[in-house]
Amino acid sequence: MKVTIKELAEKAGVSKTAVSFAFNNPKRISSETYERIMKIAKEIGYSPDPVARILATHQTQTIGLLFPQSITDVFQNPYISELVRGVGAICDRAGLALTLLSPFKGIVEHTIQNAAVDGMIILGVDKYSSVHETFKLRNMPYITIDATVTDEYTNVGIDDKKLAEELMDLLLDNGHTRISFCALKPIAVDITEGIHSTTTDARRNGIESSIKKHNLSDEVKKRFRFLESDTSFSKSYEIAKMHLMEQNRPTAVFCMGDIQALGFYCAAEELGLKIPEDISIVSFDDLPISSIIKSGLTTAHQPGFEKGMTAAELLVRKMNGESCSSVILPAYIENRGSVSKAKEV
């Protein structure tokens, strides 16, 4: 029969509250009392019932990280691992557990309604999404990452529009007009809402700003190509190889993620194309591998680890009843060796 908290308290000569403190908040009792309780608990085989603790405190000591697609799919993108590491660093510091969540049967709202967590971080939602109302109905603190900037909720992100404009400026200033844009497929799979990506929209706006600034003619803009790939290396490589084998292949490629850019790197090498002499490439993320590959990738450094840390720090503050504001993290272009003057094909 399972040993109860009452039995442990009696054997240790303390109250049940003291036993609870020993397992949940040791700083509330003396070190001598803590050691005595733990010694006796080990001798008699006592361990706290987590379900009973949740029922008593109405807290799980857990936060959730909600992805807009399946966990299997989302971790094909190495950038997500950096983000999770950042969230985990704060969980370790705060003594919290981390639960990774994905849309339950394709519906994000069901996950929010049923997840046994004290707060949640959610990726890539629009300000008009119904998830915001779901969080309010549950009265759950939450933080968004890479959502639309608004005063209605707290978001952590970067200035995607500005960075995309700077990358496009770099290509146009080097004479590139035959440019292909490799977008990430929208990853929101909530069957109750349309598929949408605020991050992609912001970057496209930045590209449009650069095009307008350079006064490109309609004839030049007709040379632009628009591709789409998921966040897997294999798919990006397949698309890149087919595209670079075309007769009017681009002189430059603008990728929305480093994992796509690496697919183009490998495809170019296999086809005997040199970077940047034959094809220039720019991207977003600045994954660790981007600085060590041959002709290092010119990319927008977005701090995935810091994004995760900042979002988790803000969530902990909200869970403690503190107020907090949205954060735009510093980001910049890491100009390496993957861009040169345009070479006509």
Side-chain angles (χ1 to χ4, degrees), residues 7-284:
E7 292 172 315
L8 173 56
E10 290 176 350
K11 287 185 177 294
V14 298
S15 65
K16 290 194 293 184
T17 301
V19 173
S20 179
F21 283 153
F23 284 94
N24 300 306
N25 195 358
K27 294 181 180 180
R28 298 288 298 274
I29 58 177
S30 68
S31 58
E32 292 80 9
T33 300
Y34 171 79
E35 290 174 3
R36 182 167 72 255
I37 292 172
M38 289 306 195
K39 180 175 181 295
I40 295 174
K42 185 176 181 180
E43 291 174 352
I44 66 177
Y46 172 82
S47 63
D49 184 343
V51 175
R53 181 178 63 188
I54 292 171
L55 292 173
T57 65
H58 301 289
Q59 293 182 334
T60 64
Q61 297 298 303
T62 301
I63 65 172
L65 178 56
L66 176 54
F67 300 114
Q69 63 182 152
S70 75
I71 292 174
T72 302
D73 291 337
V74 79
F75 272 99
Q76 291 185 103
N77 186 353
Y79 167 72
I80 294 297
S81 297
E82 287 297 294
L83 193 148
V84 174
R85 282 202 320 116
V87 175
I90 300 303
C91 288
D92 289 343
R93 182 194 305 173
L96 297 170
L98 174 62
T99 297
L100 303 183
L101 304 165
S102 59
F104 180 72
K105 296 188 181 300
I107 302 179
V108 173
E109 290 184 6
H110 286 184
T111 306
I112 298 170
Q113 292 164 344
N114 294 291
V117 296
D118 300 327
M120 201 174 292
I121 298 169
I122 182 170
L123 275 65
V125 293
D126 185 78
K127 65 179 178 180
Y128 302 111
S129 172
S130 59
V131 302
H132 302 292
E133 187 61 30
T134 305
F135 278 119
K136 291 177 183 177
L137 289 173
R138 187 171 172 184
N139 195 29
M140 173 181 283
Y142 72 103
I143 301 292
T144 63
I145 292 180
D146 294 336
T148 311
V149 178
T150 174
D151 293 333
E152 297 176 14
Y153 50 82
T154 306
N155 180 66
V156 176
I158 59 173
D159 192 339
D160 284 285
K161 180 179 181 296
K162 178 176 179 291
L163 291 166
E165 182 175 351
E166 291 178 5
L167 284 173
M168 189 63 175
D169 285 345
L170 183 61
L171 294 180
L172 294 178
D173 290 344
N174 275 280
H176 293 280
T177 56
R178 187 174 291 139
I179 304 172
S180 291
F181 302 89
C182 192
L184 294 169
K185 286 184 178 179
I187 58 176
V189 295
D190 191 332
I191 60 175
T192 66
E193 297 182 359
I195 296 177
H196 185 67
S197 171
T198 57
T199 300
T200 298
D201 287 349
R203 294 176 185 177
R204 284 177 175 170
N205 289 338
I207 291 169
E208 289 294 334
S209 293
S210 177
I211 292 172
K212 185 176 181 180
K213 181 168 54 181
H214 284 78
N215 297 313
L216 299 184
S217 67
D218 290 339
E219 190 63 33
V220 169
K221 286 187 281 188
K222 287 179 181 178
R223 301 176 187 174
F224 295 163
R225 295 282 303 279
F226 296 90
L227 313 173
E228 198 173 70
S229 174
D230 57 26
T231 55
S232 71
F233 169 80
S234 59
K235 189 64 176 178
S236 298
Y237 165 76
E238 290 175 11
I239 291 175
K241 187 175 180 180
M242 288 190 294
H243 189 53
L244 294 181
M245 290 175 66
E246 295 176 1
Q247 184 175 359
N248 292 321
R249 63 170 175 78
T251 63
V253 178
F254 188 128
C255 294
M256 295 298 176
D258 282 1
I259 194 67
Q260 294 176 317
L262 294 175
F264 273 90
Y265 261 77
C266 290
E269 182 178 9
E270 186 172 327
L271 295 172
L273 300 175
K274 295 181 179 180
I275 299 171
E277 292 86 354
D278 297 316
I279 183 168
S280 293
I281 300 178
V282 297
S283 183
F284 268 83

